[in-house]
Amino acid sequence: DTEVTQTPKHLVMGMTNKKSLKCEQHMGHRAMYWYKQKAKKPPELMFVYSYEKLSINESVPSRFSPECPNSSLLNLHLHALQPEDSALYLCASSPRGEDTDTQYFGPGTRLTVL
Amino acid sequence: AQSVTQLGSHVSVSEGALVLLRCNYSSSVPPYLFWYVQYPNQGLQLLLKYTSAATLVKGINGFEAEFKKSETSFHLTKPSAHMSDAAEYFCAVSGAYGNNRLAFGKGNQVVVIP
């Protein structure tokens, strides 16, 4: 099973709302990633968790808050977002977080901020 | 810093014709190179990867790529395009950070003409 699942598929939220995105994998992978992708652009790395510890934060605004409760689950908590945060949010996982690893991507959550 | 360059954002190819997508990399260390495909409203799927074994890499869906160190290239080819090949294709490189951080190219939108 090489599947990464993400919920919800679509999310519409106002600028004062608090919401969360969820990502799950059951491949035994120890590295998990959040990416943001705008239309017609490549994914931009936001956060990396390695062995359930935050190892990379690409200077992401604090209105995005990641959480890794266990090795299979990754959350992204959203609060006070701006319309420019509207994008496709992709989660990925890889076996060990090493350079030769393949990253397996989920289908994404399409976020619209009104 | 590592980077990849993909020229020509839009590539049109006739059904049955050769698909050729160019990727040139810049890396101060031996690179690991990846090609991903993204179908509309989906996440990224690995087509193939190079991790310093054979220089000619075969992937899924009839795609292959050849690593040429002298040309710093990793071009993607498929002998005969199919309508189902219409998608966005991203080249990516890792290898300098030890944490599987991928640097993506800008992508190629492939259109297949019947």
Side-chain angles (χ1 to χ4, degrees):
Chain A
D1 181 11
T2 57
E3 191 179 26
V4 176
T5 59
Q6 290 187 245
T7 54
K9 197 172 175 62
H10 299 276
L11 179 63
V12 179
M13 60 186 291
M15 289 190 284
T16 58
N17 291 159
K18 283 187 181 181
K19 296 286 184 184
S20 296
L21 309 185
K22 180 180 168 182
C23 172
E24 205 159 3
Q25 57 89 12
H26 296 287
M27 296 178 278
H29 289 177
R30 303 311 302 272
M32 296 186 77
Y33 311 76
W34 279 115
Y35 288 87
K36 174 183 178 180
Q37 187 180 28
K38 301 285 267 186
K40 308 297 184 188
K41 298 289 186 184
E44 298 172 17
L45 184 65
M46 300 174 72
F47 303 103
V48 181
Y49 273 84
S50 180
Y51 293 83
E52 293 132 69
K53 286 187 168 42
L54 183 65
S55 60
I56 296 176
N57 176 341
E58 292 284 48
S59 303
V60 178
S62 59
R63 57 185 184 268
F64 295 91
S65 175
E67 179 196 20
C68 188
N70 59 59
S71 59
S72 301
L73 191 54
L74 185 66
N75 297 319
L76 186 62
H77 302 298
L78 315 172
H79 174 54
L81 295 192
Q82 304 296 310
E84 59 265 28
D85 296 322
S86 299
L88 182 68
Y89 286 84
L90 294 165
C91 174
S93 70
S94 72
R96 295 164 302 280
E98 296 172 357
D99 292 323
T100 54
D101 280 4
T102 295
Q103 290 189 26
Y104 294 86
F105 285 81
T109 293
R110 177 76 59 189
L111 175 67
T112 303
V113 183
L114 301 176
Chain B
Q2 309 170 105
S3 65
V4 291
T5 301
Q6 292 180 250
L7 296 178
S9 59
H10 282 76
V11 176
S12 292
V13 59
S14 297
E15 191 175 15
L18 172 73
V19 179
L20 170 61
L21 302 180
R22 299 179 189 274
C23 174
N24 288 89
Y25 69 89
S26 171
S27 177
S28 58
V29 298
Y32 303 117
L33 292 155
F34 304 79
W35 275 101
Y36 282 89
V37 62
Q38 186 175 29
Y39 299 102
N41 300 312
Q42 293 188 27
L44 279 68
Q45 180 183 8
L46 181 76
L47 280 175
L48 47 80
K49 70 177 185 182
Y50 168 77
T51 55
S52 76
T55 55
L56 182 63
V57 182
K58 293 190 185 299
I60 61 170
N61 302 341
F63 285 93
E64 64 179 37
E66 186 171 10
F67 174 73
K68 291 188 177 180
K69 186 177 178 181
S70 60
E71 298 177 9
T72 60
S73 69
F74 190 57
H75 302 332
L76 182 72
T77 60
K78 181 174 180 177
S80 176
H82 191 272
M83 297 300 293
S84 59
D85 295 325
E88 186 86 24
Y89 292 78
F90 293 101
C91 182
V93 63
S94 72
Y97 303 104
N99 55 18
N100 201 208
R101 185 183 303 201
L102 290 174
F104 285 94
K106 292 185 177 180
N108 292 121
Q109 180 70 50
V110 171
V111 175
V112 181
I113 303 165

